[in-house]
Amino acid sequence: MASTSPPVPQSYLGPITNTGRWEGFRPRADDIFICTPPKCGTTWTQAICAMLVFGEVDHGQQPGVVSPWLDAEFVPIEENLAQLEAQTHRRFIKTHSPFDGLPYLEECTYLAVFRDPRDVYCSGLNHRDNMTDQDLANAAFPSGPNAFQDWLYKVREPGSWDLQSVDSLAHMFHSYWAYRDLENLHLFHYCDMKRDLLGSIRAMSKALGYDYDDALLSQFAQAAEFKAMKSRAEQFAPNSGTGMWKDEGDFFANGGNEQWRITLSGEELDAFDQRLAELLTEEEVDWILNGDD
């Protein structure tokens, strides 16, 4: 049974993440937290939230700029906090941290998005190779001839974060899944978003308290299609214009599901199935692989 009490706070620290940065955060009652593991639809969800918050497709904002990654060490915390304090619109904030690493506030809304871990791995390889800072890329994403084995079997140290592995994905998934009955926590799955983007945007709109008609929601869905976002990579790619990416268009490399079918061998897929079954229950495995369909 899922809990309806908030999680006990924990601290996480890694080469990118420092959840201690939330200490100076001053929440507002309508804040939105976009909570995803890397490569699970973070940028996609930010783009959707931007349209919902501003009420139009052509709002002229870069979602990755107006929606800061507060608990990442890329920008001095003073700058992030000042940016959020100055915002007069409804704020939507990105994080890749587990639920117990965030401030929990009943009056705020948490959107958590997950994806088939096999597709997370495949997408992560492209993400890693497209980063200009390869030292940082290799600190977070597995690399070398044993990349898949490292991703499959490496276990993070308690309190550490940013190492991309099945163990880390399972930990983050559990941190949200265990509290899925909280009224202000809403779980979404990448597969469901791909199958029915309009329906997913409608559900996000409802979760955030908006009442847009289907005509406008359909415009949002068209603008949030993969090809549409890829064609405007300079607007949607996170850290666009900062030199983080070798090619900003390649940030949107594929966006599809089941890339693992052409990337991973039968032996690797069998090993993955066994590993996931060690970390998640049968119900959890079914959901993280398939969503609600």
Side-chain angles (χ1 to χ4, degrees):
M1 180 179 294
S3 176
T4 54
S5 300
V8 176
Q10 304 290 330
S11 296
Y12 295 89
L13 184 65
I16 299 171
T17 298
N18 178 1
T19 57
R21 289 166 61 95
W22 290 105
E23 292 177 4
F25 174 69
R26 295 173 57 186
R28 296 178 188 168
D30 60 354
D31 282 339
I32 303 164
F33 291 79
I34 297 171
C35 317
T36 73
K39 310 314 300 174
C40 287
T42 320
T43 301
W44 200 8
T45 308
Q46 286 177 295
I48 292 168
C49 279
M51 290 185 284
L52 292 171
V53 166
F54 295 112
E56 57 183 327
V57 169
D58 297 319
H59 47 70
Q61 301 289 336
Q62 288 181 273
V65 173
V66 298
S67 172
W69 184 2
L70 186 66
D71 49 13
E73 297 274 27
F74 291 128
V75 175
I77 186 59
E78 295 79 11
E79 291 184 21
N80 278 153
L81 294 175
Q83 175 192 8
L84 287 170
E85 284 294 315
Q87 289 180 347
T88 56
H89 59 76
R90 188 176 184 182
R91 307 184 303 185
F92 49 112
I93 306 159
K94 162 184 172 177
T95 181
H96 288 320
S97 295
F99 197 33
D100 55 7
L102 308 178
Y104 177 74
L105 304 138
E106 290 186 3
E107 64 272 23
C108 297
T109 305
Y110 300 79
L111 305 179
V113 185
F114 292 92
R115 188 182 189 184
D116 183 331
R118 296 166 296 187
D119 278 319
V120 174
Y121 173 75
C122 295
S123 183
L125 297 181
N126 177 77
H127 188 96
R128 177 200 67 198
D129 295 342
N130 194 33
M131 291 178 67
T132 54
D133 186 343
Q134 283 295 291
D135 289 337
L136 180 61
N138 291 325
F141 292 90
S143 59
N146 296 319
F148 180 76
Q149 295 297 315
D150 289 344
W151 175 77
L152 195 61
Y153 294 115
K154 275 198 172 181
V155 177
R156 65 180 187 89
E157 294 293 329
S160 66
W161 203 238
D162 297 324
L163 173 69
Q164 301 306 303
S165 68
V166 176
D167 172 77
S168 294
L169 278 168
H171 176 80
M172 184 160 180
F173 173 72
H174 274 140
S175 78
Y176 290 90
W177 181 259
Y179 297 93
R180 63 192 182 279
D181 286 345
L182 289 172
E183 291 185 1
N184 60 339
L185 171 61
H186 306 271
L187 270 63
F188 293 87
H189 197 285
Y190 196 98
C191 284
D192 295 322
M193 294 170 69
K194 291 293 289 186
R195 280 189 289 259
D196 182 9
L197 182 54
L198 175 59
S200 296
I201 292 176
R202 186 184 295 114
M204 288 185 186
S205 178
K206 181 179 179 181
L208 297 175
Y210 296 115
D211 187 24
Y212 294 120
D213 60 40
D214 269 5
L216 185 55
L217 292 176
S218 294
Q219 292 179 33
F220 293 168
Q222 288 181 337
E225 290 286 353
F226 178 80
K227 288 183 179 179
M229 290 185 61
K230 184 178 177 67
S231 70
R232 300 167 67 182
E234 72 285 349
Q235 179 181 8
F236 293 114
N239 301 100
S240 174
T242 65
M244 175 172 281
W245 311 110
K246 296 175 184 176
D247 186 322
E248 290 177 353
D250 280 352
F251 178 84
F252 301 97
N254 183 288
N257 292 322
E258 300 189 349
Q259 301 171 55
W260 48 269
R261 291 189 182 276
I262 59 173
T263 303
L264 302 177
S265 68
E267 184 178 347
E268 288 172 329
L269 291 172
D270 288 343
F272 168 80
D273 289 341
Q274 181 177 347
R275 179 61 171 149
L276 200 63
E278 294 170 357
L279 297 171
L280 301 179
T281 67
E282 186 174 341
E283 178 189 17
E284 292 168 343
V285 167
D286 181 64
W287 193 88
I288 204 168
L289 294 183
N290 303 302
D292 291 323
D293 187 54

